[in-house]
Every structure is written in C-alpha cells, then in structure tokens.
Amino acid sequence: MPRVLAGLPLIMPQSPAAALALPLLLLLVVVVVRPPPQTGARPSPGPDYLRRGWLRLLAEGEGCAPCRPEECATPRGCLAGQVHDACGCCWECANLEGQLCDLDPSAHFYGSCGEQLECRLDTGGDLSRGEVPEPLCACRSQRPLCGSDGRTYAQICRLQEAARARPEANLTVAHPGPCESGPQIVSRPYDIWNVTGQDVIFGCEVFAYPMASIEWRKDGLDIQLPGDDPHISVQFRGGPQRFEVTGWLQIQAVRPSDEGTYRCLARNALGQVEAPASLTVLTPDQLNSTGIPQLSSLHLLPEEEAESEEGEDYY
C-alpha cells in the first residue's frame, strides 16, 4: 500500500534509479508548492492606510469615528468664529477673509468661512500672467461702520475680528457709516536728496471723515504751494482706500534754493495734522565728492518702485 505525504502518494523505490529520482521529485514538488520569493520586497510597514497611494487616501478619506464631544479639543484664537469639522462633531476655527475655502459646501479640504463670510471665486488676478482664480473667503458686506472704540472699520468682518481679538473691550457697532474723526496721516512724505536738474516728488496719504483737504507749505514761506512758481506743481486724488485723499508735490529740475523742509498739512472740521519731509539738493561737484558713481538708485518713491516691479517679467 503506497504511503501518502502531504496529500501526495509516496511510492517506495523499487530500484537504484528510482531511489535517485525520488529526491528530485520531492524537490520539484516543494518548488511548485512554495510561492516564488519577491526580490526587493519589504515587510508590511504597518496599518493598511499607510500602504495606500495618496490619491486613493485623499479620495477615500479617513472616515469619521463615533462622535464623543467630551473628547474634542477646544479651539482658541478663532478670529472668524467657529464651525463644525468634517464629521460634524467637534468645533474648529473658521477661515478668515482672504483665506482659501471650499466652494462645494459638502467638501472639507480647505475649510469653511466664518461668520458674515462666504466662499467666492477670486477673479481679480492677472490671468494673462498665468494666475489661476482661487476660492477665497470674502465678507458679505463692504459697508463701513463705526465701532464703540471710536474707530472706523471697513466692514463688519473686520470689526468682528477686532472684537474676538480683544474680548475684554466689549467692542460693538456704534452706528453704520464711518466714525467722525480728525485727519490721520496714513502715509507720510519721505526725506529726499537729489542732484540739481533732477525731479523730486513728495507724497502724502490722509484718512478722515468728513474728508480732509491737503495743502503743501515750505518752511520760511507764508504761501501755499505751488504759488506762482512754474517749476512746482501739486496734484490730488481720492483714495486709495475709502475716505482717504492723497496729495503730491512735484519739483521739476531742482535747484539749491529748493532745499528745505516741506510740510503736508491735512485738515477738516474736527482738526488738522501735518507731516514734514526734508529735501537736500547736491551739485554735481558735491555728488562726485561723495564717491557715489551713479544716481540710478537714489530714493525711489513707492510709486516709482511699484512701476518698476510691474514692468518686470515674472518668468
């Protein structure tokens, strides 16, 4: 009766040739039954989710465990308020104005916008330079209002951020519209030095409500510039922000007599404020004595710097 080994009949050898063939047969059976070794294979690196591709993990998500509110961490410093997390269990900080958000309410990748905010596709970028519109949180209202601290806020979202940042102040809305205030200089003129024959420009940006008027004066003169001087001109425009006005004083082909201190004066019915800036004028001989080889980098004004950056290629 033949024996059985591992489910296979074992035939006893009847001759020396059969006895030699038996080990080869067993070796062949073992090779066929055992799986081939995986060259270069590494042991399993832990849980299954660590072995998934990131695209599959992103599509599947990690799932939501049973909700236990008592185990949720308390979010702090949430200037835009709080929203529920993707599982609808714990609270987390909402996204502020200008932060990325999810256009699809059912998605939870960037997060949700806070109180008085909504997710909008920002199309204000320069599409010609390859900028792609992004979904950003934007305030639903753009109307200014006056806070109980006497400060004007551009819209309700800014006031709420300030109120959450300083809860002890009990900040509330005093009334719609800006607070009445005296002028405040937002951007003051810079001190400038230049060489005779060059042009210089002083700038002054002022916030006030009611709107302020701006005038330029030079120390030692009782007249309001430009007066009757043909090489001095003054310009004004509203902005760049609401309830602001900006003024410029330009001096063409400066000469040594233009050297001195110039003042930006802003006033309305509630008060006035001023900001000085000095002009230093050098002759070519004085410039050469300083050892400066060229004039290309002398005190560019912010407007000139912005124009030079816009003219550069991003690529």
Side-chain angles (χ1 to χ4, degrees):
M1 185 69 181
R3 297 181 182 180
V4 177
L5 178 62
L8 297 175
L10 181 62
I11 302 175
M12 298 300 294
Q14 301 297 327
S15 63
L20 181 61
L22 183 58
L24 296 177
L25 178 61
L26 292 175
L27 179 61
L28 179 62
V29 170
V30 171
V31 170
V32 172
V33 172
R34 293 182 60 186
Q38 299 181 3
T39 60
R42 297 182 179 179
S44 174
D48 177 65
Y49 73 88
L50 294 178
R51 300 196 298 272
R52 295 185 229 162
W54 71 271
L55 284 174
R56 180 180 174 188
L57 181 61
L58 182 63
E60 293 179 357
E62 298 182 7
C64 295
C67 181
R68 297 183 178 89
E70 66 277 3
E71 298 180 1
C72 295
T74 302
R76 300 181 183 277
C78 300
L79 299 184
Q82 300 178 4
V83 293
H84 275 115
D85 60 11
C87 297
C89 179
C90 299
W91 291 99
E92 62 183 9
C93 287
N95 291 357
L96 290 165
E97 185 176 20
Q99 288 185 324
L100 292 170
C101 53
D102 297 313
L103 279 174
D104 183 1
S106 63
H108 196 86
F109 188 80
Y110 295 116
S112 302
C113 300
E115 186 180 358
Q116 299 291 341
L117 294 163
E118 61 183 2
C119 192
R120 301 176 188 169
L121 196 62
D122 179 28
T123 58
D126 190 351
L127 301 181
S128 64
R129 292 185 180 273
E131 296 184 14
V132 179
E134 294 179 318
L136 301 176
C137 293
C139 194
R140 291 190 176 95
S141 172
Q142 296 299 322
R143 296 181 178 179
L145 42 84
C146 180
S148 56
D149 57 353
R151 296 182 55 189
T152 298
Y153 293 87
Q155 19 91 338
I156 184 63
C157 300
R158 296 297 184 189
L159 184 140
Q160 289 180 337
E161 289 179 20
R164 294 187 177 102
R166 298 180 287 117
E168 70 283 355
N170 296 321
L171 181 61
T172 58
V173 178
H175 60 78
C179 305
E180 291 190 352
S181 66
Q184 305 170 26
I185 294 183
V186 179
S187 178
R188 57 191 305 113
Y190 295 88
D191 294 339
I192 300 176
W193 66 273
N194 214 322
V195 180
T196 55
Q198 300 292 324
D199 297 345
V200 297
I201 299 177
F202 291 104
C204 186
E205 180 182 331
V206 179
F207 170 86
Y209 187 81
M211 294 291 293
S213 62
I214 295 179
E215 62 183 58
W216 291 92
R217 294 183 180 272
K218 182 182 179 183
D219 286 356
L221 298 179
D222 294 332
I223 62 172
Q224 179 179 339
L225 298 176
D228 60 353
D229 196 327
H231 84 301
I232 297 180
S233 59
V234 172
Q235 295 180 341
F236 305 96
R237 75 168 175 86
Q241 304 297 329
R242 297 187 67 182
F243 312 110
E244 289 184 358
V245 61
T246 303
W248 295 273
L249 172 71
Q250 181 178 11
I251 306 176
Q252 296 178 318
V254 295
R255 47 201 183 209
S257 60
D258 293 323
E259 188 171 278
T261 300
Y262 294 81
R263 296 183 179 275
C264 166
L265 288 89
R267 60 165 57 97
N268 67 1
L270 300 177
Q272 75 173 38
V273 67
E274 65 178 52
S278 64
L279 171 62
T280 302
V281 181
L282 302 179
T283 64
D285 292 339
Q286 289 173 324
L287 178 64
N288 292 334
S289 66
T290 63
I292 299 177
Q294 58 184 1
L295 197 64
S296 59
S297 61
L298 294 183
H299 286 269
L300 286 174
L301 295 178
E303 293 80 9
E304 295 171 345
E305 292 176 348
E307 291 175 1
S308 64
E309 290 176 359
E310 291 175 358
E312 296 177 356
D313 193 350
Y314 285 96
Y315 303 97

